[in-house]
Amino acid sequence: MSIPMTRLGNRGESLITPSKGPPTFTHDDNADVEREYDRLRDLARAEANKRNDCFERSRRAYEDGDGARAKALSNEGKAHDAKMREYNRQASEYIFRENNAPGRVEPDSIDLHGQFVEEAERILEQRIRADQARGQTHLHAIVGRGNHSTNHVQKLKPKVEELCRELGLRYSTEENDGRIYINLQGGEPVPPPPSKPPHGGGQHRPPQHRPPQEEYPEEGEEEGLLPLLLRKLEKACCAVM
């Protein structure tokens, strides 16, 4: 079931899916927004650290032959993992609401700043399918230039391009290489003529609300924190119990 853009990220709902060209909006930095976003991501990071510590202690307990303790620590680690994912979900939905509030982006645009790679992929796919169902011809995906990523490497843009290819959609990088034009109905990905920005002019300035990617992995990389050894350990603990 498609969720329209206006409902994406509403409090209490999960995001089940989720730029130079013409300047689309002027974003004024909001310290309160940034603090709340960072607070949620920090809580998620803290839970991830607790999770990893539990799994490491579980591994040691198993090696020492204490299967019951290994199992208990494994379950504790899973609880921290669930909390981490919940805080990340809240952060993703919160920053999506802020960056895509009415007047901040045009109706044919979506701002993915502040999203981990897997979060952005889900949100964008849901939006694409909803727009196609409504007969929309195109979508501008604002992904940023990677200025705040490690080594200034763009992480969202390659994933957006990969998703477009998987969905059989043609796309092109706009004049601002932090923005991608996606043709939703087939044909050449040629952006339409520039339209007047919602605020009467003003250059697009990428929002500063972004994940600290050098300190915390994209959601799609979280599994990398759980080595194969720990998954085997979990199975062994279950057998012991």
Side-chain angles (χ1 to χ4, degrees):
M1 178 180 70
S2 296
I3 298 179
M5 176 186 172
T6 52
R7 291 184 56 205
L8 277 175
N10 284 350
R11 189 176 301 277
E13 292 183 335
S14 296
L15 295 175
I16 62 175
T17 63
S19 42
K20 171 179 175 186
T24 56
F25 69 102
T26 299
H27 187 287
D28 297 324
D29 291 338
N30 187 317
D32 291 337
V33 170
E34 185 126 19
R35 278 193 294 270
E36 176 61 11
Y37 173 80
D38 288 341
R39 183 187 73 85
L40 291 168
R41 291 297 192 192
D42 286 345
L43 287 170
R45 191 179 302 109
E47 291 296 333
N49 290 336
K50 293 176 183 178
R51 174 199 63 183
N52 295 344
D53 178 65
C54 285
F55 284 138
E56 174 60 23
R57 287 190 290 148
S58 175
R59 179 187 66 79
R60 292 199 299 266
Y62 178 73
E63 290 176 348
D64 292 340
D66 191 344
R69 177 167 173 75
K71 178 63 175 177
L73 286 168
S74 176
N75 288 337
E76 185 178 346
K78 290 179 183 178
H80 286 302
D81 183 74
K83 290 181 180 179
M84 177 203 71
R85 293 178 183 277
E86 173 59 19
Y87 284 131
N88 274 330
R89 181 191 67 80
Q90 291 179 27
S92 171
E93 295 186 1
Y94 176 76
I95 204 60
F96 185 88
R97 288 194 304 271
E98 292 296 327
N99 286 341
N100 292 273
R104 290 230 174 126
V105 294
E106 298 218 3
D108 62 352
S109 301
I110 184 171
D111 191 337
L112 299 173
H113 277 96
Q115 304 294 337
F116 289 137
V117 170
E118 289 300 317
E119 294 169 347
E121 183 181 23
R122 288 195 299 270
I123 294 170
L124 181 58
E125 181 174 358
Q126 183 71 8
R127 174 64 186 274
I128 286 174
R129 295 189 184 281
D131 278 3
Q132 287 178 320
R134 290 193 293 266
Q136 299 298 315
T137 61
H138 65 275
L139 178 65
H140 300 277
I142 304 169
V143 297
R145 297 179 174 180
N147 293 335
H148 301 287
S149 299
T150 305
N151 298 322
H152 302 296
V153 176
Q154 289 178 301
K155 297 184 178 183
L156 293 184
K157 183 179 179 183
K159 178 57 67 174
V160 169
E161 294 173 338
E162 178 184 339
L163 176 62
C164 289
R165 290 191 294 270
E166 291 176 355
L167 297 177
L169 299 175
R170 304 183 70 176
Y171 60 90
S172 63
T173 300
E174 301 190 32
E175 186 179 347
N176 177 339
D177 61 4
R179 179 178 156 117
I180 298 175
Y181 174 83
I182 305 171
N183 189 317
L184 300 177
Q185 302 297 336
E188 292 293 329
V190 180
S195 59
K196 183 178 180 180
H199 295 291
Q203 296 296 314
H204 165 64
R205 183 159 52 93
Q208 297 301 305
H209 313 311
R210 74 278 179 190
Q213 296 183 0
E214 59 276 4
E215 300 177 7
Y216 194 84
E218 283 76 14
E219 185 179 353
E221 297 175 0
E222 287 172 3
E223 185 65 18
L225 297 174
L226 303 178
L228 179 62
L229 175 62
L230 295 181
R231 293 196 292 273
K232 290 182 178 179
L233 168 63
E234 180 184 341
K235 293 180 181 179
C237 292
C238 291
V240 171
M241 294 301 288

